[in-house]
Structure formats: structure tokens, C-alpha cells
Amino acid sequence: MSTRKILFIVLPLLLLLNSIISYVLFQSSYRVNESYNTMLTRVLLYQQVDEQVQLQVNYISQYTDQKDSSILLQLNNNEQLSSLQAQLQQQPIDRKLLLGVTSYRNLLSSYMSSENTLMLMLDQDSSLAYVDYYNEIKQLSSFISEESYNLISKELSIYSGLYQTIMLEISDMKQSGIYLLIATTLLSLLLAYWISSLITKPIQQLVSVAEKISHGELTATLPRYSPNSEFYILSDALEQMKMNLMKIMDSDKEALQKDKQLREYEIAVLQNQINPHFLFNSLNVLSKLALIEGAEQTSDLTVTMANLLRYHLRQMDKPVPLRDEVKHAKDYFYIQQTRFRDRVHFIIDIDEEELTTRVPVLTLQPILENIFMHGIEGMESGATITLHIYGDKTYTWIEISDNGSGMDEQTKLNLLNYDSPSEIPLSSEQKKGSTGIGSRNVFRRLQLIYGQQHAVYIDSTIGVGTTIKLRIPKQQELKLTK
């Protein structure tokens, strides 16, 4: 359950509990006030009825003595007494006072009936007929006065006992209210601590993991939360951040590994350049000497060898146009042809527009070298090597094929497995003529430089020959990492 839902449930429950306690206390106080007001209303009614009856009796007494017609008008106006009688009829009666209040109401009704009869007689000016009714009214007024005081006394006595009972209940309710207040306070504190723990504990856990990640400990395990919790989103975001950091670090490691391997390949090339400057100068001397002695073919071969060596001295971190690689391949083939003579033929089929594509140094010559050493070494005649370069809008395709001995599936897989340390085994004679740069190293360099854009395809059959296809992406500027 989310923290928001917990707050929406707990806080209204606490407010409801406090409201119930306040309502119960308020109801107790309201009962006391209500009973007091009811009792006070009845007491005032008894008192007002008694006063009004005595006032009416006084008016009658004055009229019989003075025969004043203005007093008779006041006697006829008994609406206030009728109103008091109506209010008395509406008042609730305590069971303990039911008999007394009923008798009191009957006395008031008898008085008002006798008073009305007396008023009729006074209007007829019968001087003796009203005496009996006058005496009856006086007697009834005396009874009403006495009964009013009795009822008032009983009301106060009953209310005194009820008041004490209610006050005891209020005292108990106050005590219970204090206990409930203490209980709700403790409950509120416990709930506050629980809710704060629900918030602070996950935050502390996430902060701890974030600190570990900031110190490079990317293997730190993130706590798991319910999908309905707000902290699930934070934990998931932190997990995504951790995964992204790991991907970035892996990418950086891979880039560093590529740079390291590329430098290793460059070092391997440089290590195989045995005293290149001395050898280059020596070849120039041999070429001049052969030309002086009339050995033109030897001179041409020496010049070609010097050009080949000069090309090997180029910086490995700078790309070259494919045109230079083709020229270098031709020079290498010329040197090999002096050895194999008519046993091997070199066929070139090149789209001139593709020769502007820039490629790494020493892309073609190592592949040709492997073809001579492993493909056509044992052929007595009819060996053919074909270099076919073509392309489209996106890629330049380099296809090198031979009709040599071919290779089995395992050898082909070894060539395409760049990370394997093994290379095709060379004989001692082959090692003497090899530059030490294998075809697989070429494939690996292309992978490091171009990534997924490059592709290498090998089609080979034992006794038929081998075809190697290189797919090179066309780029306006190629940057090699050194």
C-alpha cells in the first residue's frame, strides 16, 4: 500500500476518533443543560400561573368593592392565563410528578371555568348570585398557589437527584475522556512513528545504495518495494541509472580494449620492420649497383622491394585511399611473381570510382600473403589470384579469390574468431617470408575501426579455392585510434 493511501486512511480515522470523544462529552453536557432548561421552564410556568391567578382574584375583589367598569375590562382579558395553560399542556411530565401535574392542570381548568361563570354573573349585575362562585374562585386560587409551590419543590428535589446522577456521569465521562485522550495521543505517536518509518527507512536504503554507486560499487543490490509504493518508482529509476552507468563503463572498457588491441597490432607491424631504414638504404644501393652491372630485372625487383618497404614505414594511425593499397598489392604480387614466375597469374577487376574509399594501412597485402603461403604454395602451375573491387552508394566491396587448396570449416571459423589467440600455423619456411600480420588481424582491425558496419565473408572449398569478401563503409573521414 502506498504512503499516500496510508495517510488518507490513518488521519481520517484519528480525526473520527477525536470527534466521537468530543461528541460524547458534548452530549453529556447537552443532557444536563436540556434537563435543567426543561425543569426551569416548568418551574417558571408554575410561578407565572400562580401569579396570574392571584392577580385575577385581586381584580375580582376590587371590582366587587368598587364596581369600577375599567377593572371589569381587565378581568375579561384572561388571554395570558389561557396561553400559560396551553404551554403547561405541552410540557413533558416526569413520571414521579404525573399525578400532581395532572391535578394541577385540572385545578387550573376548574379555576378558569369558575372565573368565566363569575364574569357572566358580574355582567348581569346579580349582586348575590356571584358570591358562591367568588368564594369558590378564592378557594381554587389558594389550591393553585399551594400546588404550584409543591410542584416547584418536587421539581427541584427531582432535579437535584438527576443533577447529581448526571454530574457523576459527567465525572466518569471526563475520566474516560482523559484516558481516551491519552490513548489517542499514544496511538497518534505510534502511527506517526510508523508512517515516518515507512518514509524514512526506504529513503535511507536508497541513499545508502546511491552512495555505494557514487563510489563505483555498481554491484550494490537495490531494495525491492511493492509496485504500489512511491519508492518503487525511485528504486526503478536508480536501477536504470545503475544499468546505464554499467553500460557506459562497459562501453568505455570496450573502447579502451579496442585501442589497446589496435596498438598491439600496430606494434606487431612495427616489430616486424627489421631495421627498416638501414634495409631501405641498402636496397637503394643494391638497385644502383644492379643497374650499373646491367641487371635491369634485378634492379626493378630491388626498387619494388624498396617501395614495398617504404609503404610499410607509413604511420599506422593514418588511413590511405584504397588506390594506395591496390598499388601496394601489385608491388607485393610483382615480388612474389619473380619467385613463382608463370605458376601464378594476377587478375585485377577494379571500379576506379571505388579507389577513393579510405581504408587502414596494410588491408590487402596480408590477405594476399596468406593466399601465397596457404593457398597456392604447393601448386606447380595454373594458380590464379583475382582482385575484384566494386561498390554501391553505401559500401565498397573488396573480393579476393584464388583457386588454391582451400580450407576446412574449422580453419574458416578460426579466421573469423578474432578473439582467439591462435593463428593458422606457419612452417619455418613460411615464417621466414611472412610479415607476421595475419588475415585475422586485418579482420579484427576492421572490426575495431568500423564496428558493425563492416563485414567479412569467407567462402572456401577444399581443393577448389577460397574467396574472401570485405565490406567497407564509405566515409568521408576515417579516424583511427592510436
Side-chain angles (χ1 to χ4, degrees), residues 106-313:
N106 292 334
L107 281 174
L108 183 58
S109 298
S110 298
Y111 171 80
M112 294 183 68
S113 177
S114 298
E115 182 181 331
N116 290 331
T117 303
L118 177 62
M119 295 302 297
L120 292 173
M121 291 182 177
L122 291 176
D123 289 339
Q124 295 174 2
D125 198 18
S126 301
S127 58
L128 297 177
Y130 69 85
V131 174
D132 292 335
Y133 288 99
Y134 177 72
N135 292 330
E136 182 181 355
I137 287 173
K138 289 187 66 177
Q139 188 176 8
L140 288 173
S141 67
S142 177
F143 289 156
I144 289 173
S145 179
E146 181 180 355
E147 192 65 24
S148 295
Y149 285 108
N150 287 335
L151 289 174
I152 290 172
S153 177
K154 290 180 180 179
E155 288 278 2
L156 293 175
S157 176
I158 293 173
Y159 179 76
S160 177
L162 179 62
Y163 177 77
Q164 292 178 359
T165 302
I166 293 176
M167 290 305 295
L168 288 175
E169 292 180 359
I170 291 176
S171 178
D172 292 339
M173 288 301 299
K174 285 182 178 179
Q175 191 172 5
S176 300
I178 292 173
Y179 292 151
L180 287 174
L181 182 62
I182 294 174
T184 53
T185 301
L186 292 176
L187 180 61
S188 300
L189 291 175
L190 290 174
L191 290 175
Y193 176 77
W194 176 58
I195 293 174
S196 64
S197 298
L198 290 178
I199 298 174
T200 57
K201 185 177 179 180
I203 291 177
Q204 290 174 352
Q205 292 174 341
L206 293 175
V207 168
S208 176
V209 175
E211 289 178 349
K212 292 180 180 179
I213 293 175
S214 66
H215 291 103
E217 190 177 342
L218 299 182
T219 58
T221 303
L222 282 164
R224 299 297 179 186
Y225 302 102
S226 170
N228 297 324
S229 174
E230 293 86 353
F231 296 103
Y232 177 82
I233 301 175
L234 293 175
S235 178
D236 186 63
L238 196 58
E239 179 70 24
Q240 291 297 326
M241 183 186 73
K242 185 180 77 170
M243 297 302 295
N244 291 335
L245 286 175
M246 292 178 67
K247 289 180 180 178
I248 292 173
M249 291 186 66
D250 290 340
S251 178
D252 291 342
K253 288 180 180 178
E254 184 178 356
L256 291 174
Q257 184 67 20
K258 288 181 178 179
D259 293 343
K260 179 181 178 182
Q261 292 181 355
L262 191 58
R263 284 194 296 270
E264 289 176 353
Y265 295 138
E266 294 171 359
I267 291 172
V269 174
L270 295 175
Q271 286 177 343
N272 284 277
Q273 296 173 346
I274 305 171
N275 201 6
H277 293 284
F278 171 76
L279 184 59
F280 178 70
N281 294 331
S282 299
L283 288 174
N284 282 331
V285 172
L286 291 175
S287 174
K288 299 295 184 181
L289 182 59
L291 187 60
I292 293 173
E293 293 178 350
E296 295 183 359
Q297 186 177 3
T298 303
S299 176
D300 293 341
L301 181 61
T302 306
V303 170
T304 303
M305 188 62 191
N307 292 334
L308 199 67
L309 181 60
R310 183 186 294 110
Y311 190 82
H312 276 251
L313 292 175

Side-chain angles (χ1 to χ4, degrees), residues 376-388:
I376 63 175
E377 177 76 21
M379 296 182 66
E380 294 296 332
S381 63
T384 303
I385 299 175
T386 302
L387 175 61
H388 183 198

Side-chain angles (χ1 to χ4, degrees), residues 339-388:
R339 172 190 171 192
F340 288 89
R341 299 187 180 275
D342 294 337
R343 291 165 53 191
V344 61
H345 297 281
F346 192 32
I347 301 175
I348 299 177
D349 182 11
I350 297 175
D351 184 353
E352 293 293 330
E353 294 182 357
E354 303 300 322
L355 295 182
T356 57
T357 301
R358 303 184 72 81
V359 295
V361 176
L362 296 181
T363 297
L364 299 182
Q365 183 258 320
I367 299 176
L368 292 174
E369 183 178 341
N370 279 347
I371 290 175
F372 276 101
M373 290 184 178
H374 303 290
I376 63 175
E377 177 76 21
M379 296 182 66
E380 294 296 332
S381 63
T384 303
I385 299 175
T386 302
L387 175 61
H388 183 198

